[in-house]
Amino acid sequence: MHILDIFRDHPTTFSFEFFPPKSDEASEELFSHIARLQALQPSFVSVTYGAGGSDRERTHDLIFRIQRETNLTAVSHLTSVCHSKEELTQILDRYARSGIENILALRGDPPRDRKNYDRSNDAFQYANELVAFIKQRTDANNPRGFGIGVAGFPEGHPGTPNRLLEMEYLKRKVDAGADYICTQLFFCNDDFYDFRERCELAGIQVPILAGIMPITKNTSIKKMAELALGARFPARLLRALDRCGGDSEAMGRVGIHWASEQCRDLLDNNVRGIHFYTLNRSDATRLIYENLGVKDSLGLRGR
Ligand code: FAD
């Protein structure tokens, strides 16, 4: 099923993101979390794509396992960085043969350990070219072609300080064939609403999913700021975390509360979808559903 079909059937979607675990043990643990999260009836789940060879194989393994062993609709992230056209073709052929129908098409960033990496060797320089490449791929295994999502940045992408230009580039991805936009995580909903309006002004009409990542007892603020390309921590959130005096359990509770309030406000403001960055755990997402007073995504949609 294409994510587009899910949008047609549901006014709001709720999706969960995982990253490929690094060991067999971690993989088993992740699968126990995925099993628990299935009870929340997500609209779909997605798996991130690493920067290096073995990490990339782990993405394929995880996506195939989700496809084989669960009834969840799986979206595989795919980046064009460090890939030739032949490699991308092989990956897409494998996905088509295995029934993976949806891709989140990204440019990606060069691996951190390859500081002088020459991007001119990559098949594509920007994600819109990857979208166009994926879009034109249909074959007997995949006659309809792939459903395609792309990334959006409510606070702007650091590579393009000019935000009007950034919107032009984002529109190119949509015009190339993207069905929806999934955003980078953010902690201040006003940034998302402003981004949504900018998209509207730029003539972008596809659904925009809001990326939400709760701060948990295990997350270090420093690491999160890095992950989030410097996502803005509003002073109110920083103050609330500061009050915890370094108590990680308390910080986890503050983080869940903050994310729950973000979701409540997004739902009140007709968000088209919420994409939860689960960090491969099930507890935080389940607690957010509990805080919102529902037992699954059907409840969040208001039935
Ligand atoms: P692009 O859309 O190509 O944009 C990259 C930069 O180039 C932007 O600054 C853009 O404005 C600019 N630009 C675009 N087109 C042009 C043009 N024609 N001329 C000049 N400038 C242009 N990374 C991973 O490695 N693996 C993942 O699984 C992954 N998943 C992600 C999921 C989501 C929801 C998000 C938001 C990000 C994810 N990322 C992932 C991170 C992403 O790959 C990086 O942020 C990357 O720097 C940008 O990717 P993009 O697809 O937005 O690139």
Side-chain angles (χ1 to χ4, degrees), residues 33 73 80 93 96 148 155 176 197 215 224 231 255 266 288 291 293:
H33 286 293
T73 299
S80 59
D93 285 350
I148 305 172
E155 298 177 48
E197 277 188 63
I215 292 164
M224 285 209 39
L266 287 165
I288 292 172
N291 284 348

Side-chain angles (χ1 to χ4, degrees), residues 222-236:
K222 214 171 139 220
K223 185 145 183 250
M224 285 209 39
E226 237 173 67
L227 274 174
L229 293 168
R232 195 159 67 85
F233 281 71
R236 213 155 60 84

Side-chain angles (χ1 to χ4, degrees), residues 228-248:
L229 293 168
R232 195 159 67 85
F233 281 71
R236 213 155 60 84
L237 173 59
L238 285 175
R239 247 195 329 267
L241 291 168
D242 207 38
R243 273 186 215 110
C244 302
D247 175 343
S248 58

Side-chain angles (χ1 to χ4, degrees), residues 3-302:
I3 302 306
L4 206 55
D5 302 326
I6 298 175
F7 286 128
R8 278 203 195 108
D9 290 347
H10 299 289
T12 325
T13 61
F14 301 94
S15 46
F16 302 155
E17 180 173 305
F18 307 111
F19 57 84
K22 291 208 184 297
S23 66
D24 291 347
E25 200 188 358
S27 180
E28 288 317 309
E29 196 185 336
L30 169 60
F31 247 78
S32 68
H33 286 293
I34 291 179
R36 269 173 245 152
L37 286 172
Q38 270 200 89
L40 299 181
Q41 304 205 38
S43 314
F44 65 91
V45 298
S46 80
V47 178
T48 64
Y49 195 57
S54 59
D55 279 355
R56 292 183 154 181
E57 217 32 62
R58 285 195 199 98
T59 296
H60 305 318
D61 291 346
L62 178 57
I63 206 93
F64 292 141
R65 185 167 177 200
I66 291 174
Q67 177 79 0
R68 258 193 336 263
E69 296 182 22
T70 73
N71 55 10
L72 297 165
T73 299
V75 175
S76 194
H77 296 204
L78 181 61
T79 60
S80 59
V81 70
C82 305
H83 267 318
S84 64
K85 268 190 199 168
E86 291 69 32
E87 288 166 344
L88 291 166
T89 301
Q90 279 172 17
I91 293 167
L92 293 171
D93 285 350
R94 258 172 97 188
Y95 284 159
R97 280 198 302 276
S98 309
I100 306 295
E101 293 178 278
N102 295 286
I103 308 281
L104 189 75
L106 303 140
R107 184 196 71 181
D109 297 310
R112 285 185 193 169
D113 56 357
R114 293 169 75 177
K115 284 223 161 32
N116 298 320
Y117 181 75
D118 179 3
R119 293 207 41 239
S120 66
N121 294 323
D122 294 343
F124 304 117
Q125 296 305 304
Y126 297 108
N128 66 301
E129 299 162 56
L130 178 64
V131 172
F133 179 73
I134 298 173
K135 189 74 186 169
Q136 44 90 24
R137 293 202 63 79
T138 53
D139 59 31
N141 289 315
N142 187 19
R144 193 178 168 199
F146 290 97
I148 305 172
V150 290
F153 296 83
E155 298 177 48
H157 185 275
T160 310
N162 180 335
R163 304 232 31 216
L164 292 176
L165 201 53
E166 188 188 21
M167 282 299 141
E168 273 180 37
Y169 295 146
L170 181 58
K171 184 155 190 308
R172 282 191 204 176
K173 297 199 271 195
V174 174
D175 291 346
D179 302 317
Y180 66 98
I181 295 167
C182 184
T183 78
Q184 179 61 285
L185 64 101
F186 56 89
F187 296 106
C188 184
N189 285 5
D190 284 345
D191 290 324
F192 176 79
Y193 299 138
D194 182 68
F195 174 73
R196 201 166 59 171
E197 277 188 63
R198 283 168 181 271
C199 287
E200 206 178 307
L201 288 169
I204 295 170
Q205 288 173 342
V206 295
I208 303 172
L209 312 187
I212 293 292
M213 177 147 110
I215 292 164
T216 68
K217 62 180 180 187
N218 301 315
T219 36
S220 96
I221 306 279
K222 214 171 139 220
K223 185 145 183 250
M224 285 209 39
E226 237 173 67
L227 274 174
L229 293 168
R232 195 159 67 85
F233 281 71
R236 213 155 60 84
L237 173 59
L238 285 175
R239 247 195 329 267
L241 291 168
D242 207 38
R243 273 186 215 110
C244 302
D247 175 343
S248 58
E249 297 284 339
M251 285 168 94
R253 283 195 297 276
V254 167
I256 305 281
H257 176 76
W258 186 273
S260 305
E261 288 307 306
Q262 274 192 282
C263 291
R264 198 191 311 278
D265 183 67
L266 287 165
L267 291 167
D268 286 346
N269 284 282
N270 301 319
V271 72
R272 194 63 174 80
I274 300 181
H275 185 73
F276 291 94
Y277 292 93
T278 68
L279 295 176
N280 284 7
R281 314 270 317 165
S282 52
D283 21 8
T285 315
R286 280 189 298 118
L287 284 169
I288 292 172
Y289 275 60
E290 262 180 41
N291 284 348
L292 293 168
V294 300
K295 69 176 178 29
D296 57 30
S297 302
L298 297 179
L300 279 183
R301 254 178 228 124

